[in-house]
Amino acid sequence: MKIGFIGLGIMGESMCENIVKKHDDTVYCFDFIKEKVDLLASKGAVPCADSVELAKNSDVIISMVPKSEHSRSVYESILGVLDSSKTCIDMSTIDPSVSIEISEMVKKTGAQFIDAPVVKSKPAAIDGTLGIYVGGEEKTFEAMLPILKYMGCNVIRMGDNGKGLVMKICHNALVSQIQNGVNETITLAKANGISIPDFTEAVSYGGASNWYLDGQAKKLEAEDYTTAFSIENMAKDVNICVNLAKECGVKMPGEENALNVYQTALERGMAKEDFRATIKVVRDR
């Protein structure tokens, strides 16, 4: 089974490399940035000139691109070479309603389609220990599971097309609100002379203990904002969540507060910094 991977950004690069390492057949790759294609080619992938060439050569087409418009563009461009022998896996985090439209468009060609966004960041992409939420038909999920496990150690099907993305958006919305709570309480603690290390140890004794604080405390103390997951990417996910909630008639004032923090960070030119840098926005208010 030949696999093609489109989109070799921060996450896609390592996800594709894991497939190259673990799969026993040809892996094709494509990105608009030639240096990224050359890097994967040096690791064993076969470069393609564009998405259409990649889709022609591949039985399974995987995409990992930044935004809804990019996913739509990829699948509109390859529609002419899709047929019932091919399966498409979009691992991008995009608007669920757009993903459903893409799935319907792809399935009219006879090809199968699942959405499979990931959680965790670059270190997990390198280690092949991502979490993956899948939306799509169960038989397609079962058929693609061995390929998804090249990239992740926890893979779960959430329902039909779009449901993987709904789960991803709910996950990241929860992270954004935990993060905002951590940012506010650390700021209050420091204003009262309590250091971040002491704060973190004390929190671990009680019910407020959380994975985000445990993973970010040392970097927050060091003011290290080296990017593993950017503010602009998290802002996109928070914005999708607020819009999804409105579509569903669900009120989420906590998430609207998180959106306000992210919008302020973007206005301050912090888009490329790691998302933990939002503590600077909370601290300066």
Side-chain angles (χ1 to χ4, degrees), residues 9 38 60 84 87 94 103 105 111 117 181-182 233 236 278:
D38 292 342
V60 176
S84 60
T87 299
I94 64 172
S103 73
M105 179 173 66
V182 166
N233 277 328
K236 176 199 66 173
T278 51

Side-chain angles (χ1 to χ4, degrees), residues 144 150-151 160 186 193 221 228 274:
M144 294 297 107
Y150 292 153
M151 298 172 278
D160 294 333
I186 279 181
E221 172 69 6
D274 190 87

